[in-house]
Amino acid sequence: MDKAAFKTLSYWLLAILLIQSSCTIDDHDSYKIDLGGGYTYFVEQKDIFSDPGCNRIDIPSKIEQCKYGKRFILVRQRPDTYSYRYGSYKGLEKGCYKMGIDTPYYWIIDKQEQIHFGPISYDEYRHISDSLNIPVLLEK
């Protein structure tokens, strides 16, 4: 492989790596991450808040996995005791975690249509993500 081809290939690999890393949240160094569509992920609290004054959902801690792109935010969350008991986040009602606190819940936020699905079971998550043609799935 000549030097020019190697350099071009290196740039493409770097671009792919940057794009992939910008669309997944695991352990991120900054305090907050803009997910787009008026949603922000707060690293220390492991929760998602929507902009003040808008009629969108907030997802309480503890978020275990979050993937996002231009249209969707996908979340696996295990509620902590406070969010489970009091439903203190915008858009949540008390008792919305029907499977208990030791169970992971899933969320799909469609930023384009401004709708959300969650908290839902993994089976419901798979069914909805299939119907919306979402290619990236969260781990069970």
Side-chain angles (χ1 to χ4, degrees), residues 25-33 43-44:
I25 295 174
D26 288 317
D27 291 325
H28 204 275
D29 292 335
S30 65
Y31 174 70
K32 62 183 181 176
I33 300 168
V43 176
E44 288 185 32

Side-chain angles (χ1 to χ4, degrees), residues 1-12:
M1 179 182 298
D2 68 354
K3 191 173 183 179
F6 182 75
K7 189 174 182 179
T8 302
L9 180 62
S10 297
Y11 284 128
W12 278 107

